[in-house]
Amino acid sequence: SDLQKQGERGELLQPLIFILLVVCSILLYFKVSLMDPGFVKSEEEAEAGKSEGQSMVIPEVPSNIKMRRCGYCMVKQPMRARHCRLCQRCVRRYDHHCPWIENCVGEKNHPFFIVYLSVQLVVLLWGGHVAWSGLYSEQSWDWLQHNILLLTSFFLIVIFTVVVLLLLISQLYLISCNTTTWEFMSHHRISYLRHSELENPFDQGVVLNLWRFFC
């Protein structure tokens, strides 16, 4: 009867939404970590995909751009792709290898990675609010003993919140510029950027960059 009364008063709605967000965050984590980030296919795999009538994710490369072979896995490496030594594969539109998901962030899973970070940030902020609301100001040793776990949880949530927030902000900034973490950090070592007349030849404006990335 108490549960029914709480439901009638709407007190169960917020915990239910929080649980759904946590479940969604977990599902997104496995989605991003287990899916193909955009591995470059070998010529044999590409030909097999064409013969079976499969839709090709890899777009046609303009004729003025020469594709080079990767020195590690020997596949034809399109522009903006990079070989990941941890995954031992070349990844299209390589951003970075994330140790938290133990997978590369590339062309296919990058949008899901941004959604995962956003949902995770909401969960952390909500969890931090719940932990803070459980604390009350009383300066005594007994209070510290009874609330040590809550205090520890709160400080851990704050640390993770700052990390996720900074990562999300930096990712959204790079996406709005149509560049990747690898291109941003290694601009001077990448041939197609170093020899380009433009500082960022892929930038088409903030709105169009965001539209092409998410839509």
Side-chain angles (χ1 to χ4, degrees):
S1 59
D2 291 338
L3 191 64
Q4 185 178 1
K5 290 179 180 178
Q6 289 178 342
E8 292 174 355
R9 293 195 298 266
E11 296 177 358
L12 298 179
L13 183 60
Q14 288 189 356
L16 181 61
I17 294 175
F18 180 76
I19 292 172
L20 289 176
L21 283 173
V22 172
V23 173
C24 181
S25 174
I26 295 172
L27 293 177
L28 282 169
Y29 173 82
F30 284 109
K31 172 74 174 177
V32 175
S33 60
L34 296 177
M35 73 179 296
D36 176 7
F39 293 127
V40 179
K41 294 182 179 180
S42 64
E43 289 87 341
E44 292 81 4
E45 292 173 326
E47 288 298 327
K50 287 180 181 179
S51 62
E52 293 173 6
Q54 296 176 349
S55 61
M56 296 297 292
V57 179
I58 303 175
E60 293 295 328
V61 180
S63 57
N64 61 331
I65 297 175
K66 294 182 179 180
M67 296 177 66
R68 67 183 184 88
R69 285 197 177 273
C70 174
Y72 296 96
C73 53
M74 300 307 295
V75 299
K76 284 187 178 180
Q77 193 180 68
M79 193 165 56
R80 309 194 79 178
R82 183 176 187 265
H83 183 86
C84 176
R85 296 187 182 183
L86 296 174
C87 294
Q88 297 182 352
R89 297 281 298 274
C90 284
V91 180
R92 294 182 58 87
R93 201 182 181 278
Y94 175 87
D95 189 84
H96 69 285
H97 183 92
C98 181
W100 180 251
I101 64 173
E102 196 55 41
N103 194 12
C104 283
V105 176
E107 185 179 68
K108 287 186 177 180
N109 65 348
H110 202 169
F112 290 101
F113 182 70
I114 299 300
V115 176
Y116 164 69
L117 288 179
S118 303
V119 175
Q120 190 66 54
L121 181 61
V122 173
V123 171
L124 287 168
L125 290 173
W126 198 331
H129 172 71
V130 172
W132 178 259
S133 63
L135 298 172
Y136 58 93
S137 58
E138 181 180 330
Q139 297 180 354
S140 66
W141 179 249
D142 292 336
W143 176 87
L144 184 61
Q145 283 184 321
H146 287 97
N147 292 274
I148 186 66
L149 290 177
L150 199 58
L151 278 171
T152 304
S153 300
F154 177 75
F155 285 120
L156 286 175
I157 289 173
V158 168
I159 293 172
F160 283 119
T161 300
V162 171
V163 172
V164 172
L165 180 61
L166 292 176
L167 181 58
L168 181 60
I169 291 174
S170 64
Q171 285 286 305
L172 289 175
Y173 169 74
L174 294 174
I175 291 168
S176 67
C177 300
N178 197 3
T179 188
T180 64
T181 303
W182 171 57
E183 291 171 343
F184 181 78
M185 300 294 292
S186 306
H187 188 279
H188 61 287
R189 294 193 291 113
I190 302 174
S191 58
Y192 60 80
L193 293 178
R194 188 174 67 247
H195 299 138
S196 174
E197 296 180 358
L198 302 173
E199 184 177 354
N200 181 9
F202 308 109
D203 188 7
Q204 297 178 307
V206 176
V207 176
L208 191 56
N209 291 338
L210 292 173
W211 174 264
R212 287 182 179 276
F213 180 84
F214 287 105
C215 304

